[in-house]
């Protein structure tokens, strides 16, 4: 997860496109960040954030 997140951070700071990441890594990072967000914020707020922008009450983040 750290490699994928920092890869994107570095690309953004250099103002270059984020390099492609293998689908296995994106799946693992998405699952990990989703689990962290659910643990911090609860299931319904995360589902609402991902599915219905108009239902978002507070920003949701993994960290």
């Amino acid at each position: 997860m750290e490699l994928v997140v920092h890869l994107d951070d570095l690309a953004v700071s250099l103002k270059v496109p984020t390099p492609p990441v293998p689908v296995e890594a994106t799946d693992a990072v998405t699952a990990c960040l989703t689990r962290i967000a659910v643990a911090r914020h609860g299931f319904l707020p995360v589902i609402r954030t991902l599915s219905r922008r108009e239902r978002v009450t507070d920003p949701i983040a993994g960290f």
Side-chain angles (χ1 to χ4, degrees), residues 10-59:
L10 182 59
V12 169
S13 70
L14 295 173
K15 296 182 171 79
V16 299
T18 301
V21 178
V23 69
E24 295 85 3
T26 61
D27 287 348
V29 170
T30 301
C32 182
L33 288 173
T34 302
R35 287 186 184 114
I36 292 169
V38 168
R40 289 184 67 198
H41 304 282
F43 174 74
L44 280 177
V46 172
I47 292 303
R48 289 174 180 159
T49 295
L50 292 172
S51 63
R52 301 272 190 246
R53 184 182 352 193
E54 65 275 9
R55 293 186 188 165
V56 175
T57 56
D58 293 313

